[in-house]
Amino acid sequence: MGARIILVLCLAYVLIYGTSAQISDLRYTETTNDNLGDAIQFLRDFDREAAEMCNRVASSEWKYATNSTEFNKRRMREQQNLASKFECLSWRRAASFDSSTIVDSGIRRQLGRIVQPGRCGLGEDKYAELAHVISLMKENYNNAKICPIQGTHPTSLGADSFKPSNYVTGYTAYCDLKLEPDVAQIIETSRVEPELRYYWLSWHEKTGPPVKNTFMRYLDLANQAAERHGFSDAGDQMRSVYDDSDFFFTVSDLWTKVQPLYKQLVTLVRKGLVRQYGEHVIRRDGPLPAHLLGNIWAQNWRNILDIVRTGPPETPDITGELVRQGYTPLKMFQTAEEFFTSIGLPPMAPEFWRNSVLQQANEMFGHCTASAWDFCNKVDFRIKQCTQVNLEDFVNAHHEMTHVQYYMQYTSQPFLYREGPNPAFHEAIANAISLSVGGPNHLQKLGLLNTPVSVVNGNTMVNIEYLLGVALDKLPFMAFSLALEKWRWYVFEKGPVGMNARWWELRLRYQGIIPPVARGFEHFDPGAKYHVISDQDYIRYFVATVLQFQVFSELCQASHHVGPLHTCDFYRSREAGRILSDVMQQGASLTTTQLIKLLTRGKTSRLSVEPLLDFFRPLEAWLELQNRGELIIGWSSKMEDIALFQPLVDRNGRSLARNMTSNILSSILIFLSTYFLL
């Protein structure tokens, strides 16, 4: 009897712990090497080989981006496939080292930067399947084209006329509108509500539903990969790069402090939308319809400044002044270079001016999204931008050149450290430069703004209008970024059931946004955003927005700025340039907390929204004055809003009464979140 009991216990142990051990073994390649010398040699080889591979990939991608032929596309795909194979070979080699026995923390950290990210733990077949699944979704998005409205003017058609299916035979031959520039331009400039609703609906139905099932397979594979790399799910893996074990709650806490300012902004925006479209389109106390905000995703609202502002424009036409003073795309970038040399940073190398493409060169030029390029050889850095002579591209020139300065500053670091410590740092520093360059004070110094600008109190209407424009750009973007990523983390953890309703629940909770038409089980509105279907982290933009104001504030203090923060311009401040250079030179060799501590000269090692709130302080006071007497500051959610995305019947028309309790509970939570961020 005793032997049988022991046998049963042994079998139970194998079933329980043996299975767990097998699962654990799958997370990493079995560690067999604890030799420090081997690890050092591996990292030396990796540093050289990874840089060479990066150079080949960047070169092939540049050729396709500037000359989009099928041949260049094939060459680019070949190099990308080779890079994927190299990544997984390197992962297996790095995972074979027993890091726990390596005393040198720098070696351990570099090995960890190879082992923890990526998806190579899936194995060759599933890794290839995941890449194929993402490729299918990206292809659907990039090839999406929608039909224009028929010849009849939109205002003469009823709401039901604006459906993608309402086309006469043969009219679909003209269905060639792409997101950029066609649909985006219409959404940005049209002030006809039915037209905006039509294009919003067409884009979302063209991009989302076709990839819904594919996306669910992506969720499964991404989670499997995360588990093999030692994470609970893919959301946990994505958050790990921010060096904060409480990151999920950190971003919520940061938003809680910004939310009162955001609600004041929403209230002013709603007043402008009611003036423009009437109360039959938007309630005076309700959330904002997503199609009326000047952006297909409602992620920034700067394009409706003309609707939101309470009086005539106060800021002179800077774009017109640039043209009158003879600025060209080249001169705009030369001006950007002079900004950096004025604070003690190096000028651009001859290779930069020889190889960059600063305006659209030919009809085969790829997407016109501005981008900075590092060719990973410590010499070749470039910018690709379809530059127009206007204020936006003038600021963009400085923004993109900041990325190049960052590349140049950390060239002495090992390849694994030639990036920011987290995905937000590059964007944060580039945006901090933009805050200095785009402000009225700097434009006045350059002779582009002749209207008096008060640096003492910063409360002139020129300053208020500038702050309002920045707020319409930054604050909705923060709310959108948080809603998107909270949604993605949720579906990674809980699965895809009800994921479209969850998308709109979070958009309503954080952003105060509702869809313009009812959304049901068959829809997949997150699929209308490229970063979702292309497997790209998005919380970086939330973090970058917070961090850019911290960087800006520190550089302003270093330049001995006096006055409101938004009037600061650290142009010509060598001390600001020294701090900026010290931060950029570190690359990713320091953790996020260490680099923030270096930036703030020991004052803090954490993200803080206090500089952001300080920047917008005059605007907040002005908004409170403008919003006196409003029914509600922020938005109230009613059942009619929630019913747009929480249908009471299923896809077959059956009643969902059995789920009524959970629907009501969800509605109550959304209502309460108007006042308390959950």
Side-chain angles (χ1 to χ4, degrees), residues 35-82:
N35 189 305
L36 177 61
D38 288 349
I40 293 173
Q41 186 59 48
F42 162 71
L43 289 174
R44 284 177 184 158
D45 293 340
F46 176 85
D47 190 75
R48 183 188 70 257
E49 293 166 2
E52 292 173 357
M53 179 62 69
C54 176
N55 177 261
R56 291 201 295 270
V57 171
S59 298
S60 66
E61 289 176 342
W62 176 268
K63 287 179 181 177
Y64 179 66
T66 55
N67 188 18
S68 301
T69 64
E70 281 301 316
F71 174 78
N72 284 341
K73 184 177 182 179
R74 285 196 305 273
R75 292 297 300 272
M76 177 184 70
R77 293 279 171 81
E78 289 170 3
Q79 293 299 322
Q80 289 171 338
N81 289 336
L82 287 173

CSV table of all heavy atoms in Angstrom, one decimal, residues 35-82:
chain,number,residue,atom,x,y,z
A,35,ASN,N,29.8,31.1,-19.3
A,35,ASN,CA,31.2,31.6,-19.5
A,35,ASN,C,31.1,33.1,-19.8
A,35,ASN,O,30.6,33.5,-20.8
A,35,ASN,CB,31.9,30.8,-20.6
A,35,ASN,CG,33.3,31.2,-20.7
A,35,ASN,OD1,33.7,32.3,-20.8
A,35,ASN,ND2,34.2,30.1,-20.6
A,36,LEU,N,31.7,33.9,-18.9
A,36,LEU,CA,31.6,35.3,-19.2
A,36,LEU,C,32.4,35.7,-20.4
A,36,LEU,O,32.0,36.6,-21.2
A,36,LEU,CB,32.3,36.1,-17.9
A,36,LEU,CG,32.4,37.6,-18.0
A,36,LEU,CD1,31.0,38.2,-18.2
A,36,LEU,CD2,33.1,38.2,-16.8
A,37,GLY,N,33.5,35.1,-20.7
A,37,GLY,CA,34.3,35.4,-21.9
A,37,GLY,C,33.5,35.1,-23.1
A,37,GLY,O,33.6,35.9,-24.1
A,38,ASP,N,32.8,34.0,-23.2
A,38,ASP,CA,31.9,33.7,-24.3
A,38,ASP,C,30.8,34.8,-24.5
A,38,ASP,O,30.5,35.2,-25.7
A,38,ASP,CB,31.3,32.3,-24.2
A,38,ASP,CG,32.3,31.2,-24.3
A,38,ASP,OD1,33.4,31.5,-24.8
A,38,ASP,OD2,31.9,30.0,-24.0
A,39,ALA,N,30.3,35.2,-23.4
A,39,ALA,CA,29.2,36.2,-23.5
A,39,ALA,C,29.8,37.5,-24.1
A,39,ALA,O,29.2,38.2,-24.9
A,39,ALA,CB,28.6,36.5,-22.1
A,40,ILE,N,31.0,37.9,-23.6
A,40,ILE,CA,31.6,39.2,-24.1
A,40,ILE,C,31.9,39.1,-25.6
A,40,ILE,O,31.6,40.0,-26.3
A,40,ILE,CB,32.9,39.5,-23.3
A,40,ILE,CG1,32.5,39.8,-21.8
A,40,ILE,CG2,33.6,40.6,-23.9
A,40,ILE,CD1,33.7,40.0,-20.9
A,41,GLN,N,32.4,37.9,-26.0
A,41,GLN,CA,32.7,37.7,-27.4
A,41,GLN,C,31.5,37.7,-28.3
A,41,GLN,O,31.5,38.3,-29.4
A,41,GLN,CB,33.5,36.4,-27.6
A,41,GLN,CG,34.0,36.2,-29.0
A,41,GLN,CD,34.9,37.3,-29.5
A,41,GLN,OE1,35.9,37.7,-28.8
A,41,GLN,NE2,34.7,37.9,-30.7
A,42,PHE,N,30.4,37.1,-27.7
A,42,PHE,CA,29.1,37.1,-28.5
A,42,PHE,C,28.6,38.5,-28.7
A,42,PHE,O,28.2,38.9,-29.8
A,42,PHE,CB,28.1,36.3,-27.7
A,42,PHE,CG,26.7,36.6,-28.1
A,42,PHE,CD1,26.2,36.2,-29.4
A,42,PHE,CD2,25.8,37.3,-27.3
A,42,PHE,CE1,24.9,36.5,-29.8
A,42,PHE,CE2,24.5,37.6,-27.7
A,42,PHE,CZ,24.1,37.2,-29.0
A,43,LEU,N,28.7,39.4,-27.6
A,43,LEU,CA,28.2,40.7,-27.7
A,43,LEU,C,29.1,41.6,-28.7
A,43,LEU,O,28.5,42.4,-29.4
A,43,LEU,CB,28.1,41.4,-26.4
A,43,LEU,CG,27.0,40.8,-25.4
A,43,LEU,CD1,27.1,41.4,-24.0
A,43,LEU,CD2,25.6,41.1,-26.0
A,44,ARG,N,30.4,41.3,-28.7
A,44,ARG,CA,31.2,42.0,-29.7
A,44,ARG,C,30.8,41.6,-31.1
A,44,ARG,O,30.7,42.5,-32.0
A,44,ARG,CB,32.7,41.6,-29.5
A,44,ARG,CG,33.3,42.3,-28.3
A,44,ARG,CD,34.8,41.7,-28.1
A,44,ARG,NE,35.4,42.3,-26.9
A,44,ARG,CZ,36.4,41.7,-26.3
A,44,ARG,NH1,36.9,40.6,-26.8
A,44,ARG,NH2,37.0,42.3,-25.2
A,45,ASP,N,30.6,40.3,-31.4
A,45,ASP,CA,30.2,39.9,-32.7
A,45,ASP,C,28.8,40.5,-33.1
A,45,ASP,O,28.6,40.9,-34.2
A,45,ASP,CB,30.2,38.4,-32.8
A,45,ASP,CG,31.6,37.8,-32.6
A,45,ASP,OD1,32.6,38.5,-32.9
A,45,ASP,OD2,31.7,36.6,-32.3
A,46,PHE,N,27.9,40.4,-32.1
A,46,PHE,CA,26.6,40.9,-32.3
A,46,PHE,C,26.6,42.4,-32.7
A,46,PHE,O,25.9,42.9,-33.6
A,46,PHE,CB,25.7,40.7,-31.1
A,46,PHE,CG,24.3,41.3,-31.2
A,46,PHE,CD1,23.3,40.6,-31.8
A,46,PHE,CD2,24.1,42.6,-30.7
A,46,PHE,CE1,22.1,41.2,-32.0
A,46,PHE,CE2,22.8,43.2,-30.9
A,46,PHE,CZ,21.8,42.5,-31.5
A,47,ASP,N,27.5,43.2,-31.9
A,47,ASP,CA,27.5,44.6,-32.2
A,47,ASP,C,27.9,44.9,-33.6
A,47,ASP,O,27.3,45.8,-34.3
A,47,ASP,CB,28.6,45.3,-31.2
A,47,ASP,CG,28.5,46.8,-31.2
A,47,ASP,OD1,27.6,47.3,-30.6
A,47,ASP,OD2,29.4,47.4,-31.8
A,48,ARG,N,28.9,44.2,-34.1
A,48,ARG,CA,29.3,44.4,-35.5
A,48,ARG,C,28.3,43.9,-36.5
A,48,ARG,O,27.9,44.6,-37.5
A,48,ARG,CB,30.6,43.7,-35.8
A,48,ARG,CG,31.2,43.9,-37.2
A,48,ARG,CD,32.4,43.0,-37.4
A,48,ARG,NE,32.1,41.6,-37.6
A,48,ARG,CZ,32.3,40.7,-36.6
A,48,ARG,NH1,32.8,41.0,-35.5
A,48,ARG,NH2,31.9,39.4,-36.8
A,49,GLU,N,27.8,42.7,-36.3
A,49,GLU,CA,26.9,42.1,-37.3
A,49,GLU,C,25.5,42.8,-37.3
A,49,GLU,O,24.9,42.9,-38.3
A,49,GLU,CB,26.7,40.6,-37.0
A,49,GLU,CG,28.0,39.8,-37.2
A,49,GLU,CD,28.0,38.4,-36.6
A,49,GLU,OE1,26.9,38.1,-36.0
A,49,GLU,OE2,29.0,37.7,-36.6
A,50,ALA,N,25.0,43.2,-36.1
A,50,ALA,CA,23.7,43.8,-36.1
A,50,ALA,C,23.8,45.2,-36.7
A,50,ALA,O,22.8,45.6,-37.4
A,50,ALA,CB,23.3,44.0,-34.6
A,51,ALA,N,24.9,45.9,-36.6
A,51,ALA,CA,25.0,47.2,-37.2
A,51,ALA,C,25.0,47.0,-38.8
A,51,ALA,O,24.4,47.8,-39.5
A,51,ALA,CB,26.3,47.9,-36.8
A,52,GLU,N,25.7,46.0,-39.2
A,52,GLU,CA,25.8,45.7,-40.7
A,52,GLU,C,24.4,45.4,-41.2
A,52,GLU,O,24.0,45.8,-42.3
A,52,GLU,CB,26.8,44.6,-41.0
A,52,GLU,CG,28.2,45.0,-40.7
A,52,GLU,CD,29.2,43.8,-40.8
A,52,GLU,OE1,28.7,42.7,-41.1
A,52,GLU,OE2,30.4,44.1,-40.7
A,53,MET,N,23.7,44.5,-40.5
A,53,MET,CA,22.4,44.1,-40.9
A,53,MET,C,21.4,45.3,-40.9
A,53,MET,O,20.6,45.5,-41.8
A,53,MET,CB,21.8,43.1,-40.0
A,53,MET,CG,20.4,42.6,-40.3
A,53,MET,SD,20.3,41.8,-41.9
A,53,MET,CE,21.2,40.3,-41.7
A,54,CYS,N,21.5,46.2,-39.9
A,54,CYS,CA,20.7,47.4,-39.8
A,54,CYS,C,21.0,48.3,-41.0
A,54,CYS,O,20.0,48.9,-41.5
A,54,CYS,CB,21.0,48.1,-38.5
A,54,CYS,SG,20.1,49.7,-38.3
A,55,ASN,N,22.2,48.4,-41.4
A,55,ASN,CA,22.6,49.3,-42.5
A,55,ASN,C,22.0,48.8,-43.8
A,55,ASN,O,21.4,49.5,-44.6
A,55,ASN,CB,24.1,49.4,-42.6
A,55,ASN,CG,24.5,50.2,-43.8
A,55,ASN,OD1,24.9,49.7,-44.9
A,55,ASN,ND2,24.5,51.5,-43.6
A,56,ARG,N,22.0,47.4,-44.0
A,56,ARG,CA,21.4,46.9,-45.2
A,56,ARG,C,19.9,47.1,-45.3
A,56,ARG,O,19.4,47.4,-46.3
A,56,ARG,CB,21.8,45.4,-45.3
A,56,ARG,CG,23.3,45.1,-45.6
A,56,ARG,CD,23.5,43.7,-46.1
A,56,ARG,NE,23.1,42.7,-45.2
A,56,ARG,CZ,24.0,42.2,-44.3
A,56,ARG,NH1,25.2,42.6,-44.2
A,56,ARG,NH2,23.5,41.2,-43.5
A,57,VAL,N,19.3,46.9,-44.1
A,57,VAL,CA,17.8,47.0,-44.1
A,57,VAL,C,17.4,48.5,-44.3
A,57,VAL,O,16.5,48.8,-45.1
A,57,VAL,CB,17.2,46.5,-42.7
A,57,VAL,CG1,15.8,46.9,-42.6
A,57,VAL,CG2,17.4,45.0,-42.6
A,58,ALA,N,18.1,49.4,-43.6
A,58,ALA,CA,17.8,50.8,-43.8
A,58,ALA,C,18.0,51.3,-45.2
A,58,ALA,O,17.3,52.1,-45.8
A,58,ALA,CB,18.7,51.7,-42.8
A,59,SER,N,19.1,50.8,-45.8
A,59,SER,CA,19.4,51.2,-47.2
A,59,SER,C,18.3,50.7,-48.2
A,59,SER,O,17.9,51.4,-49.1
A,59,SER,CB,20.7,50.6,-47.7
A,59,SER,OG,21.8,51.1,-46.9
A,60,SER,N,17.8,49.5,-48.0
A,60,SER,CA,16.8,48.9,-48.8
A,60,SER,C,15.5,49.7,-48.6
A,60,SER,O,14.7,49.9,-49.5
A,60,SER,CB,16.6,47.4,-48.6
A,60,SER,OG,16.1,47.1,-47.3
A,61,GLU,N,15.2,50.0,-47.3
A,61,GLU,CA,13.9,50.7,-47.0
A,61,GLU,C,14.0,52.1,-47.6
A,61,GLU,O,13.0,52.7,-48.1
A,61,GLU,CB,13.7,50.7,-45.5
A,61,GLU,CG,13.3,49.3,-45.0
A,61,GLU,CD,13.2,49.3,-43.5
A,61,GLU,OE1,13.7,50.3,-42.8
A,61,GLU,OE2,12.6,48.4,-42.9
A,62,TRP,N,15.1,52.7,-47.5
A,62,TRP,CA,15.3,54.1,-48.1
A,62,TRP,C,15.0,54.1,-49.6
A,62,TRP,O,14.3,55.0,-50.1
A,62,TRP,CB,16.7,54.6,-47.8
A,62,TRP,CG,16.9,56.0,-48.4
A,62,TRP,CD1,17.5,56.2,-49.6
A,62,TRP,CD2,16.6,57.3,-47.8
A,62,TRP,NE1,17.6,57.6,-49.8
A,62,TRP,CE2,17.1,58.2,-48.7
A,62,TRP,CE3,16.0,57.7,-46.6
A,62,TRP,CZ2,16.9,59.6,-48.5
A,62,TRP,CZ3,15.9,59.0,-46.4
A,62,TRP,CH2,16.3,60.0,-47.3
A,63,LYS,N,15.6,53.1,-50.3
A,63,LYS,CA,15.4,53.0,-51.7
A,63,LYS,C,14.0,52.9,-52.1
A,63,LYS,O,13.5,53.5,-53.0
A,63,LYS,CB,16.2,51.9,-52.3
A,63,LYS,CG,17.7,52.1,-52.3
A,63,LYS,CD,18.5,50.9,-52.9
A,63,LYS,CE,20.0,51.2,-52.9
A,63,LYS,NZ,20.8,50.0,-53.3
A,64,TYR,N,13.2,52.1,-51.3
A,64,TYR,CA,11.8,51.9,-51.6
A,64,TYR,C,11.0,53.1,-51.3
A,64,TYR,O,10.1,53.5,-52.0
A,64,TYR,CB,11.3,50.7,-50.9
A,64,TYR,CG,9.8,50.4,-51.1
A,64,TYR,CD1,9.3,50.1,-52.4
A,64,TYR,CD2,8.9,50.6,-50.1
A,64,TYR,CE1,8.0,49.9,-52.7
A,64,TYR,CE2,7.5,50.5,-50.4
A,64,TYR,CZ,7.1,50.1,-51.6
A,64,TYR,OH,5.7,49.9,-51.9
A,65,ALA,N,11.4,53.8,-50.1
A,65,ALA,CA,10.6,55.0,-49.7
A,65,ALA,C,10.8,56.1,-50.7
A,65,ALA,O,9.9,56.9,-50.8
A,65,ALA,CB,11.1,55.4,-48.3
A,66,THR,N,11.9,56.2,-51.3
A,66,THR,CA,12.2,57.3,-52.3
A,66,THR,C,12.0,56.9,-53.7
A,66,THR,O,12.0,57.8,-54.6
A,66,THR,CB,13.6,57.8,-52.1
A,66,THR,OG1,14.5,56.8,-52.2
A,66,THR,CG2,13.8,58.5,-50.7
A,67,ASN,N,11.8,55.6,-54.0
A,67,ASN,CA,11.6,55.2,-55.4
A,67,ASN,C,10.8,53.9,-55.3
A,67,ASN,O,11.3,52.8,-55.3
A,67,ASN,CB,12.9,55.0,-56.1
A,67,ASN,CG,12.7,54.7,-57.6
A,67,ASN,OD1,11.6,55.0,-58.1
A,67,ASN,ND2,13.7,54.1,-58.2
A,68,SER,N,9.5,54.0,-55.2
A,68,SER,CA,8.6,52.9,-54.8
A,68,SER,C,8.3,52.0,-56.0
A,68,SER,O,7.1,51.8,-56.4
A,68,SER,CB,7.3,53.4,-54.2
A,68,SER,OG,7.6,54.2,-53.1
A,69,THR,N,9.3,51.3,-56.5
A,69,THR,CA,9.1,50.3,-57.6
A,69,THR,C,8.9,48.9,-57.0
A,69,THR,O,9.3,48.7,-55.8
A,69,THR,CB,10.3,50.3,-58.5
A,69,THR,OG1,11.5,49.8,-57.8
A,69,THR,CG2,10.6,51.7,-59.1
A,70,GLU,N,8.4,48.0,-57.8
A,70,GLU,CA,8.2,46.6,-57.3
A,70,GLU,C,9.6,46.0,-57.0
A,70,GLU,O,9.7,45.2,-56.1
A,70,GLU,CB,7.4,45.8,-58.3
A,70,GLU,CG,5.9,46.1,-58.3
A,70,GLU,CD,5.3,45.7,-56.9
A,70,GLU,OE1,5.7,44.7,-56.4
A,70,GLU,OE2,4.5,46.5,-56.4
A,71,PHE,N,10.6,46.3,-57.8
A,71,PHE,CA,11.9,45.7,-57.6
A,71,PHE,C,12.4,46.2,-56.3
A,71,PHE,O,12.9,45.3,-55.5
A,71,PHE,CB,12.8,46.2,-58.7
A,71,PHE,CG,14.3,45.8,-58.5
A,71,PHE,CD1,14.7,44.4,-58.8
A,71,PHE,CD2,15.2,46.6,-58.1
A,71,PHE,CE1,16.0,44.0,-58.6
A,71,PHE,CE2,16.5,46.3,-57.8
A,71,PHE,CZ,16.9,44.9,-58.1
A,72,ASN,N,12.3,47.4,-56.0
A,72,ASN,CA,12.8,47.9,-54.7
A,72,ASN,C,12.0,47.4,-53.5
A,72,ASN,O,12.6,47.1,-52.4
A,72,ASN,CB,12.8,49.5,-54.6
A,72,ASN,CG,13.9,50.1,-55.4
A,72,ASN,OD1,14.9,49.4,-55.7
A,72,ASN,ND2,13.8,51.3,-55.8
A,73,LYS,N,10.8,47.1,-53.7
A,73,LYS,CA,9.9,46.5,-52.7
A,73,LYS,C,10.4,45.1,-52.4
A,73,LYS,O,10.5,44.7,-51.2
A,73,LYS,CB,8.5,46.5,-53.1
A,73,LYS,CG,7.5,46.0,-52.1
A,73,LYS,CD,6.1,46.1,-52.6
A,73,LYS,CE,5.1,45.7,-51.5
A,73,LYS,NZ,3.7,45.8,-52.0
A,74,ARG,N,10.7,44.3,-53.5
A,74,ARG,CA,11.2,42.9,-53.3
A,74,ARG,C,12.5,42.9,-52.5
A,74,ARG,O,12.7,42.1,-51.6
A,74,ARG,CB,11.3,42.2,-54.6
A,74,ARG,CG,10.0,41.8,-55.2
A,74,ARG,CD,10.2,40.8,-56.3
A,74,ARG,NE,11.1,41.2,-57.4
A,74,ARG,CZ,10.7,41.9,-58.4
A,74,ARG,NH1,9.5,42.3,-58.6
A,74,ARG,NH2,11.6,42.3,-59.3
A,75,ARG,N,13.4,43.8,-52.9
A,75,ARG,CA,14.7,43.9,-52.3
A,75,ARG,C,14.6,44.2,-50.8
A,75,ARG,O,15.3,43.7,-49.9
A,75,ARG,CB,15.6,44.9,-53.0
A,75,ARG,CG,16.0,44.5,-54.4
A,75,ARG,CD,16.9,43.2,-54.4
A,75,ARG,NE,18.1,43.4,-53.6
A,75,ARG,CZ,19.3,43.8,-54.1
A,75,ARG,NH1,19.3,44.2,-55.4
A,75,ARG,NH2,20.3,43.9,-53.3
A,76,MET,N,13.7,45.1,-50.5
A,76,MET,CA,13.4,45.5,-49.1
A,76,MET,C,12.9,44.4,-48.3
A,76,MET,O,13.4,44.1,-47.2
A,76,MET,CB,12.4,46.7,-49.1
A,76,MET,CG,12.0,47.1,-47.7
A,76,MET,SD,10.8,48.4,-47.7
A,76,MET,CE,9.3,47.5,-48.2
A,77,ARG,N,11.9,43.6,-48.9
A,77,ARG,CA,11.4,42.5,-48.2
A,77,ARG,C,12.4,41.4,-47.9
A,77,ARG,O,12.5,40.8,-46.9
A,77,ARG,CB,10.2,41.9,-49.0
A,77,ARG,CG,9.0,42.8,-49.1
A,77,ARG,CD,8.1,42.7,-47.8
A,77,ARG,NE,7.1,43.7,-47.8
A,77,ARG,CZ,5.9,43.6,-48.4
A,77,ARG,NH1,5.7,42.5,-49.2
A,77,ARG,NH2,5.0,44.6,-48.3
A,78,GLU,N,13.3,41.2,-48.9
A,78,GLU,CA,14.4,40.2,-48.7
A,78,GLU,C,15.3,40.6,-47.5
A,78,GLU,O,15.6,39.8,-46.7
A,78,GLU,CB,15.2,40.1,-50.0
A,78,GLU,CG,14.5,39.5,-51.2
A,78,GLU,CD,15.3,39.6,-52.5
A,78,GLU,OE1,16.4,40.2,-52.4
A,78,GLU,OE2,14.8,39.2,-53.5
A,79,GLN,N,15.7,41.9,-47.5
A,79,GLN,CA,16.5,42.3,-46.4
A,79,GLN,C,15.8,42.2,-45.0
A,79,GLN,O,16.4,41.9,-44.0
A,79,GLN,CB,17.0,43.7,-46.6
A,79,GLN,CG,18.0,43.9,-47.8
A,79,GLN,CD,19.2,43.0,-47.6
A,79,GLN,OE1,19.8,42.9,-46.5
A,79,GLN,NE2,19.7,42.5,-48.7
A,80,GLN,N,14.5,42.5,-45.0
A,80,GLN,CA,13.8,42.5,-43.8
A,80,GLN,C,13.6,41.0,-43.3
A,80,GLN,O,13.7,40.8,-42.1
A,80,GLN,CB,12.4,43.1,-44.0
A,80,GLN,CG,12.4,44.6,-44.1
A,80,GLN,CD,11.0,45.2,-44.6
A,80,GLN,OE1,10.2,44.5,-45.1
A,80,GLN,NE2,10.8,46.4,-44.3
A,81,ASN,N,13.5,40.1,-44.2
A,81,ASN,CA,13.4,38.7,-43.9
A,81,ASN,C,14.7,38.2,-43.3
A,81,ASN,O,14.8,37.4,-42.3
A,81,ASN,CB,13.0,37.8,-45.1
A,81,ASN,CG,11.5,38.0,-45.5
A,81,ASN,OD1,10.7,38.4,-44.6
A,81,ASN,ND2,11.2,37.8,-46.7
A,82,LEU,N,15.8,38.6,-43.9
A,82,LEU,CA,17.1,38.2,-43.4
A,82,LEU,C,17.4,38.8,-42.0
A,82,LEU,O,17.9,38.1,-41.1
A,82,LEU,CB,18.2,38.8,-44.3
A,82,LEU,CG,18.4,38.0,-45.7
A,82,LEU,CD1,19.4,38.7,-46.6
A,82,LEU,CD2,18.9,36.6,-45.4
